[in-house]
Amino acid sequence: MSELSTPNVPHFSAEERDTLYRVIAARRDMRHFTPNTRIDDATITRLLQATHQAPSVGLMQPWRFQRIRTIQQREGIAALVMAERAVTANALGERGEEFLRLKVEGIRDCAELWVVSVAPDDGTLFGRRTMPQAMALCSVACAIQNLWLATRAENLGMGWVSMFDPLALAEWLALPAGSQPIAILCIGQVEAFYSAPMLELEGWRQGRTLDDGFFT
Amino acid sequence: MSELSTPNVPHFSAEERDTLYRVIAARRDMRHFTPNTRIDDATITRLLQATHQAPSVGLMQPWRFQRIRTIQQREGIAALVMAERAVTANALGERGEEFLRLKVEGIRDCAELWVVSVAPDDGTLFGRRTMPQAMALCSVACAIQNLWLATRAENLGMGWVSMFDPLALAEWLALPAGSQPIAILCIGQVEAFYSAPMLELEGWRQGRTLDDGFFT
């Protein structure tokens, strides 16, 4: 094979490599968005292309993205998240009050609201005979991570809200039978990116460092 | 907040944004590696840092990476994958023979072999009360996707092998109780990157395009 020299198969410089590392380091789970903004169509197209270039087990591409277009849908989704937030606060016991002071989503303020689902199973066996659900789910998560990095490189914020009852959300959106919604994504302009994960800045939890048994 | 002007919170140029998009587009699931190579320690450290900067639900950081260091372990893992490959071929019925002609892993040739697991559940409720397993799994997948892009920007190949019995692999590696292995990662130098997904080049399956109902 001599593909290394073709335009489709680039060789990256140290500077380009470091650009990727800077994007990865600067990515944050955002909950604060600038209200009354929008994202232009060309940017949306670039974001979707990057998302769709994700890996998937057996090339099954199990991701489905639904753009929420009406205020009514947005309000319904916000209500579902608020309901789960209350249940979570209760389940957290003594940290429940502290939890309720955290901002956990930017559903009403963000420019774009997208719901991401794992598509109904298409029967792909390649690479997932022993872990069918897990591998489809991982493929969708990889697509979301592509999107997360793409938004950051566009200087847009993104937050992944997972605080909802997936069955209630699927019903509210009338998703096809067998769909598994896993993310409500808030995307849009932000005043500023957090300098560290918001849960650290707010004193909720401290992330651990590389040398703490993650890699052996 | 005035963090946009701090060094920790970069603003990306259109050129830097396009670099990210080029890395995303050039990433491939690689199965062909250059034998008898290694990856230097500085590169490994950069890869691990990028991996560990992934998002995680409730900041639980559930990823665990085990570097496979002995030939014996590598051979044991290769044997587990070969066993599942045979079962998959059988399950595929009339496409079984075609499947067996595909190269599905580079376990013996790659410079580095890492096994990735979801850690035993730490009880985190934040953001995962309704989807505890799925959200931990998604966090680990995001870490793997960070690593995948990082390897590509380092001009290294990576392949995610998911063709194994997770219980057998956990037992073979004596993983802590409750660990869920989800990936055998082959990482290393390659002669050339595929110009398109290998499953497309080999005629196994054609990926669909953006306008095919992935985004509505």
Side-chain angles (χ1 to χ4, degrees):
Chain A
M1 288 189 275
S2 60
E3 289 160 347
L4 275 174
S5 57
T6 72
N8 288 333
V9 185
H11 185 90
F12 294 101
S13 67
E15 189 181 352
E16 291 173 318
R17 175 198 73 194
D18 290 344
T19 295
L20 172 70
Y21 285 140
R22 289 172 60 240
V23 174
I24 285 174
R27 184 210 50 77
R28 291 286 175 272
D29 193 347
M30 298 300 299
R31 295 104 193 256
H32 296 83
F33 294 87
T34 310
N36 305 312
T37 56
R38 62 180 297 279
I39 303 177
D40 64 84
D41 291 346
T43 305
I44 297 274
T45 300
R46 287 193 301 272
L47 293 176
L48 295 182
Q49 280 171 338
T51 306
H52 196 60
Q53 284 166 338
S56 64
V57 64
L59 205 54
M60 70 186 292
Q61 302 173 319
W63 43 78
R64 296 296 181 274
F65 285 69
Q66 180 170 353
R67 203 172 168 185
I68 303 304
R69 295 175 186 273
T70 69
I71 295 290
Q72 291 90 323
Q73 278 189 316
R74 216 181 255 241
E75 287 299 319
I77 289 171
L80 286 175
V81 171
M82 286 305 96
E84 174 53 30
R85 178 170 168 267
V87 179
T88 297
N90 199 41
L92 282 167
E94 60 182 21
R95 292 197 80 185
E97 275 190 51
E98 181 189 354
F99 167 77
L100 286 173
R101 287 193 295 270
L102 296 173
K103 185 166 172 63
V104 294
E105 48 75 25
I107 291 173
R108 289 191 174 87
D109 286 337
C110 60
E112 290 278 336
L113 190 67
W114 296 357
V115 171
V116 189
S117 304
V118 184
D121 200 319
D122 70 357
T124 296
L125 279 172
F126 193 117
R128 63 189 283 265
R129 199 195 62 86
T130 62
M131 302 181 277
Q133 291 174 300
M135 286 305 107
L137 188 58
C138 284
S139 302
V140 180
C142 286
I144 294 176
Q145 181 65 1
N146 265 14
L147 174 62
W148 220 332
L149 296 173
T151 55
R152 186 59 188 87
E154 298 272 7
N155 301 298
L156 294 169
M158 181 175 123
W160 178 336
V161 179
S162 54
M163 214 171 278
F164 58 84
D165 174 344
L167 294 175
L169 182 59
E171 189 179 326
W172 169 258
L173 293 174
L175 294 178
S179 302
Q180 180 189 2
I182 61 165
I184 299 167
L185 300 183
C186 301
I187 305 172
Q189 285 81 2
V190 298
E191 294 297 317
F193 286 92
Y194 313 137
S195 57
M198 200 203 73
L199 294 186
E200 287 191 353
L201 296 177
E202 297 283 348
W204 177 263
R205 187 173 187 170
Q206 204 62 30
R208 290 183 293 146
T209 54
L210 248 187
D211 51 10
D212 205 5
F214 295 101
F215 302 91
T216 54
Chain B
M1 287 190 277
S2 60
E3 288 159 348
L4 275 174
S5 57
T6 71
N8 288 333
V9 185
H11 186 91
F12 294 101
S13 68
E15 190 182 350
E16 290 173 319
R17 176 198 72 195
D18 290 345
T19 295
L20 172 71
Y21 286 139
R22 289 171 62 239
V23 174
I24 285 175
R27 184 211 51 76
R28 291 287 175 273
D29 192 347
M30 298 300 300
R31 295 101 193 256
H32 296 82
F33 294 87
T34 311
N36 304 314
T37 55
R38 60 180 299 277
I39 303 177
D40 64 84
D41 291 345
T43 305
I44 297 274
T45 300
R46 286 193 300 272
L47 294 176
L48 294 182
Q49 280 172 338
T51 305
H52 195 61
Q53 284 167 337
S56 63
V57 63
L59 205 52
M60 72 186 290
Q61 302 175 319
W63 43 78
R64 297 294 182 275
F65 286 69
Q66 180 168 351
R67 204 171 167 184
I68 303 304
R69 295 176 186 274
T70 69
I71 295 290
Q72 293 90 323
Q73 278 191 316
R74 217 181 255 241
E75 287 299 320
I77 290 170
L80 286 175
V81 172
M82 286 306 98
E84 174 53 30
R85 177 172 170 266
V87 179
T88 297
N90 199 41
L92 282 167
E94 60 183 23
R95 293 198 80 185
E97 276 190 50
E98 181 189 354
F99 167 78
L100 287 173
R101 287 194 294 271
L102 296 172
K103 184 164 173 64
V104 293
E105 48 77 22
I107 291 173
R108 289 191 174 89
D109 287 337
C110 60
E112 290 279 335
L113 190 68
W114 298 357
V115 172
V116 188
S117 303
V118 184
D121 200 319
D122 71 357
T124 296
L125 280 171
F126 192 117
R128 62 190 285 264
R129 199 195 63 85
T130 62
M131 303 182 277
Q133 290 173 300
M135 285 305 108
L137 188 59
C138 284
S139 302
V140 180
C142 286
I144 293 175
Q145 181 65 1
N146 264 13
L147 174 63
W148 221 332
L149 296 172
T151 55
R152 186 59 189 87
E154 298 274 4
N155 302 299
L156 294 169
M158 181 174 123
W160 178 336
V161 180
S162 54
M163 214 172 276
F164 57 86
D165 174 343
L167 294 176
L169 182 58
E171 189 178 327
W172 169 258
L173 294 174
L175 294 178
S179 301
Q180 181 190 1
I182 61 165
I184 298 167
L185 301 182
C186 301
I187 306 172
Q189 284 80 0
V190 297
E191 295 296 318
F193 287 91
Y194 312 136
S195 58
M198 200 203 75
L199 293 186
E200 288 191 353
L201 295 178
E202 298 283 348
W204 177 260
R205 185 174 189 171
Q206 204 61 29
R208 291 182 294 145
T209 53
L210 247 188
D211 51 9
D212 205 5
F214 295 102
F215 302 91
T216 56

